[in-house]
Amino acid sequence: GAVVSQHPSRVICKSGTSVKIECRSLDFQATTMFWYRQFPKQSLMLMATSNEGSKATYEQGVEKDKFLINHASLTLSTLTVTSAHPEDSSFYICSARDQADPQFFGPGTRLTVL
Amino acid sequence: QKEVEQNSGPLSVPEGAIASLNCTYSDRGSQSFFWYRQYSGKSPELIMFIYSNGDKEDGRFTAQLNKASQYVSLLIRDSQPSDSATYLCAVKGGFKTIFGAGTRLFVKA
């Protein structure tokens, strides 16, 4: 299958700071990238969908000013959690696909906000 | 609201047995169906996808699709303890892929 990487794999930050997470497709061009959040023992929650060169489409209830998504190239999307708070602590996972399914997931980033 | 339903489990099977995981979906227009495996603390990993009615086999895994009944299943033959994980069913109709909450499988050695 296709390879998607994420960086960093784990980040601990202080409340009020911003954190940037990178998602890269290594061996294919990702027309569409997705950002998910997953709390312990809960299901995946789609946060937003981004298409290269376009503004991201956010799911209902997800604050676009807090979770900034940029998909500037066909291999890179970034998620920036602005002014992070402890309730933002979660497992953030990106996935990507080219023009056809399926979507492939990155390894995830575990964010802890102190 | 389009939905994908899975029994949360845990489904417990002995080593060597067949594990049967089931999924139903509400959108009759759905075209693509996927099974992902997620180990605890890790991200989902694609196991199989199926687009047509019937069975699709890949090694120890068989995906079964019945569009008339809006039902997709995953069979794991000769289950191993390393198969213990949460299995996510995903269904795509139109632009969006909807994930089920997953079924936890436990394979006892």
Side-chain angles (χ1 to χ4, degrees), chain A residues 11-20 66 80-86 88 111-114:
Chain A
V11 58
I12 300 172
C13 69
K14 292 183 179 179
S15 186
T17 60
S18 294
V19 174
K20 180 185 280 188
K66 180 167 183 64
T80 300
V81 183
T82 63
S83 186
H85 291 285
D88 298 322
L111 171 63
T112 302
V113 185
L114 303 176

Side-chain angles (χ1 to χ4, degrees), chain A residues 6 34 36 38 42-44 46 49 59 91 93 97 99-108 110, chain B residues 32 34 36 38 40-46 49 51 88 92 94-97 99-102 104:
Chain A
Q6 263 183 262
F34 306 87
Y36 294 84
Q38 189 175 38
Q42 294 190 21
S43 57
L44 288 173
L46 179 65
T49 302
E59 295 299 301
F91 191 39
I93 314 172
R97 65 173 175 85
Q99 294 179 348
D101 288 307
Q103 53 181 287
F104 295 92
F105 285 86
R110 195 162 301 281
Chain B
S32 309
F34 310 91
Y36 290 83
Q38 187 175 22
S40 181
K42 303 294 185 182
S43 66
E45 170 192 12
L46 180 69
F49 54 89
Y51 301 141
L88 307 175
K92 185 179 181 187
F95 296 108
K96 192 170 273 194
T97 300
F99 283 81
R104 284 184 297 140

Side-chain angles (χ1 to χ4, degrees), chain B residues 15 27 32 36 54 77 80 99-100:
Chain B
E15 183 175 0
D27 181 9
S32 309
Y36 290 83
R77 288 181 299 282
Q80 302 297 309
F99 283 81

Side-chain angles (χ1 to χ4, degrees), chain B residues 10-82:
Chain B
L11 172 66
S12 184
V13 300
E15 183 175 0
I18 296 175
S20 178
L21 304 161
N22 305 314
C23 172
T24 58
Y25 58 95
S26 62
D27 181 9
R28 188 169 286 280
S30 299
Q31 297 294 321
S32 309
F33 307 85
F34 310 91
W35 283 99
Y36 290 83
R37 176 176 61 199
Q38 187 175 22
Y39 291 113
S40 181
K42 303 294 185 182
S43 66
E45 170 192 12
L46 180 69
I47 298 176
M48 291 193 70
F49 54 89
I50 186 168
Y51 301 141
S52 304
N53 275 329
D55 294 1
K56 179 181 179 182
E57 188 175 316
D58 184 0
R60 295 188 296 114
F61 299 99
T62 299
Q64 299 176 317
L65 175 61
N66 184 325
K67 289 187 178 181
S69 300
Q70 295 174 238
Y71 176 95
V72 58
S73 65
L74 179 70
L75 301 179
I76 306 175
R77 288 181 299 282
D78 189 23
S79 295
Q80 302 297 309
S82 58

